[in-house]
Amino acid sequence: MTEKKGKKDARRGGDRLAEYRGKRDPHRTPEPVPEEKALPHGDDDTFVVQEHHASSLHWDLRFERDGVLVSWAVPKGLPWSPKTNHLAVHTEDHPLEYATFEGDIPQDEYGGGTVTIWDRGTYETEKWSEREVKVVVHGSRVSGRYVLFRTRGKNWMIHRMDPPADPDAEPLPETLRPMRPVRGARMPRNQDAWGFEFAWGGRRLLAYVEGGRTRFTDGRGREAGGPAGLGSRLGGQLGARPAVLDGELAVLDGRETYMVFDVPHLDGRPLLDVPYRERRALLDGLELSGPSWQTAPWYPADGDAVRETAAGQGLPGVVAKRLDSPYEPGEESSAWRLIPVSTRR
């Protein structure tokens, strides 16, 4: 019997977990590695989606079927709209115990990285063949009819058959020109109505993050590159949450760092008409922090102290922003003021 035929027979009628076990050492990984024995049987109605921060972020979609979890790696996650199909790579069957697994796989092991459960629930089968799988999933974060269809080799595509999961959600804009402050302005007299940020003196950069991937545009809305590795790691922190981030590339302690100070779009919602105060609260809630990016600090009603600190740190100035100001793409607005450190009231 050839090796290829042996593997095929193992999947169909023999040890369906042979490939899974062959890639894992139970003494080196916290993953469940059951011994070779009769497969357990459930009700063929469990599904799980696991967020997997491995060499690249992806989501693992698994369906209980004939005593194992039939699995696909979905690099961009499940599509929320029928307008977009996502790649799904068929992987080895996993044991049923994997449906509850969360943990850190050692980096030098197969699939090394952090695994967390993104969603789980039950599903119903409408069709299951070697080339097409139609299911109705019932999870806490994703529900609806999906079809997976084979394209070539291990590559499949996943398509949402129902209307968008959130009919009010909007895709990320293709490009957004950033809002700009009026330059050389004076410190506002009524500081209680304003928030204050440091002016970093760096390159303006908008980040469009979706499905763990990131692309950038510059201050004129043109495609731009970010520092090496920033896009994938920033995308990895946001995971499945789509967002447009506004910020500057600043040099801090000799290292180029993306300082994020606004979020014009988040979770399928344009935030252009949302007041600055509320956008900043949403941004702070994302807790963005990493080796080459961080959320820029802001200080309501404390402009004089911020300007003193900026002068002491050699920064060019302060940006004052009205707490009730919307985000006006491409506009130079007096609701934002760039105040040099030497300007007096």
Side-chain angles (χ1 to χ4, degrees):
M1 180 184 293
T2 65
E3 181 182 358
K4 183 176 181 180
K5 186 175 187 298
K7 286 183 179 179
K8 186 175 181 181
D9 289 345
R11 288 196 302 269
R12 288 187 172 178
D15 182 6
R16 293 188 61 179
L17 295 178
E19 183 178 355
Y20 174 89
R21 270 194 294 271
K23 294 180 176 180
R24 293 163 177 84
D25 182 343
H27 302 293
R28 297 174 62 88
T29 178
E31 300 167 282
V33 186
E35 296 179 359
E36 184 176 352
K37 58 183 179 180
L39 293 171
H41 291 280
D43 296 322
D44 281 353
D45 65 351
T46 295
F47 90 94
V48 62
V49 181
Q50 286 156 318
E51 188 171 306
H52 192 170
H53 292 257
S55 55
S56 62
L57 172 65
H58 63 275
W59 285 263
D60 293 312
L61 173 63
R62 312 190 196 281
F63 296 104
E64 176 195 355
R65 183 81 176 176
D66 297 332
V68 297
L69 294 174
V70 183
S71 302
W72 287 265
V74 187
K76 292 187 176 181
L78 275 64
W80 60 271
S81 167
K83 294 182 179 180
T84 305
N85 294 340
H86 287 179
L87 173 68
V89 180
H90 195 255
T91 61
E92 72 275 12
D93 294 335
H94 282 51
L96 293 185
E97 296 93 330
Y98 217 98
T100 60
F101 174 70
E102 292 185 297
D104 294 318
I105 304 170
Q107 290 295 335
D108 55 351
E109 293 298 302
Y110 174 75
T114 301
V115 176
T116 58
I117 293 175
W118 186 82
D119 198 12
R120 60 185 169 194
T122 60
Y123 80 98
E124 301 152 16
T125 303
E126 293 189 350
K127 180 179 180 179
W128 195 291
S129 71
E130 290 187 355
R131 303 198 64 84
E132 187 178 40
V133 172
K134 287 184 181 180
V135 293
V136 182
V137 298
H138 307 281
S140 58
R141 300 179 74 168
V142 61
S143 295
R145 296 176 70 232
Y146 284 87
V147 59
L148 291 118
F149 54 94
R150 190 172 181 175
T151 55
R152 179 183 297 178
K154 293 185 176 182
N155 287 349
W156 294 53
M157 300 297 288
I158 183 169
H159 170 78
R160 182 176 173 87
M161 302 175 71
D162 282 345
D166 182 351
D168 296 325
E170 296 185 19
L172 297 185
E174 285 297 317
T175 186
L176 194 70
R177 296 186 66 182
M179 182 174 174
R180 305 187 310 278
V182 171
R183 293 178 172 271
R186 292 183 174 274
M187 188 71 71
R189 294 188 178 278
N190 178 19
Q191 295 190 12
D192 289 342
W194 297 74
F196 298 88
E197 303 174 1
F198 295 116
W200 301 99
R203 177 164 65 102
R204 195 73 174 271
L205 207 61
L206 270 69
Y208 306 74
V209 187
E210 187 171 24
R213 275 68 178 166
T214 308
R215 61 183 177 86
F216 299 96
T217 59
D218 63 15
R220 295 185 179 181
R222 303 171 301 187
E223 292 294 323
L230 171 63
S232 59
R233 288 181 288 181
L234 178 60
Q237 183 171 8
L238 276 167
R241 304 188 69 177
V244 178
L245 306 174
D246 188 1
E248 275 184 73
L249 283 178
V251 178
L252 302 180
D253 299 323
R255 173 183 292 183
E256 199 171 39
T257 302
Y258 185 45
M259 304 298 294
V260 185
F261 49 68
D262 216 320
V263 55
H265 199 290
L266 180 65
D267 293 334
R269 296 286 185 273
L271 303 178
L272 304 180
D273 295 330
V274 173
Y276 164 76
R277 178 198 296 109
E278 296 178 29
R279 295 198 310 275
R280 281 299 320 219
L282 290 169
L283 177 61
D284 292 344
L286 295 176
E287 298 181 344
L288 297 175
S289 179
S292 57
W293 70 93
Q294 61 179 275
T295 303
W298 71 295
Y299 307 91
D302 206 6
D304 293 329
V306 175
R307 184 175 57 191
E308 271 187 48
T309 302
Q313 294 183 358
L315 295 174
V318 171
V319 181
K321 300 181 178 180
R322 283 196 60 91
L323 296 176
D324 60 358
S325 62
Y327 191 97
E328 303 174 72
E331 297 295 327
E332 183 179 284
S333 171
S334 60
W336 287 13
R337 301 181 184 181
L338 175 60
I339 305 156
V341 292
S342 59
T343 298
R344 295 297 173 189
R345 239 175 115 169

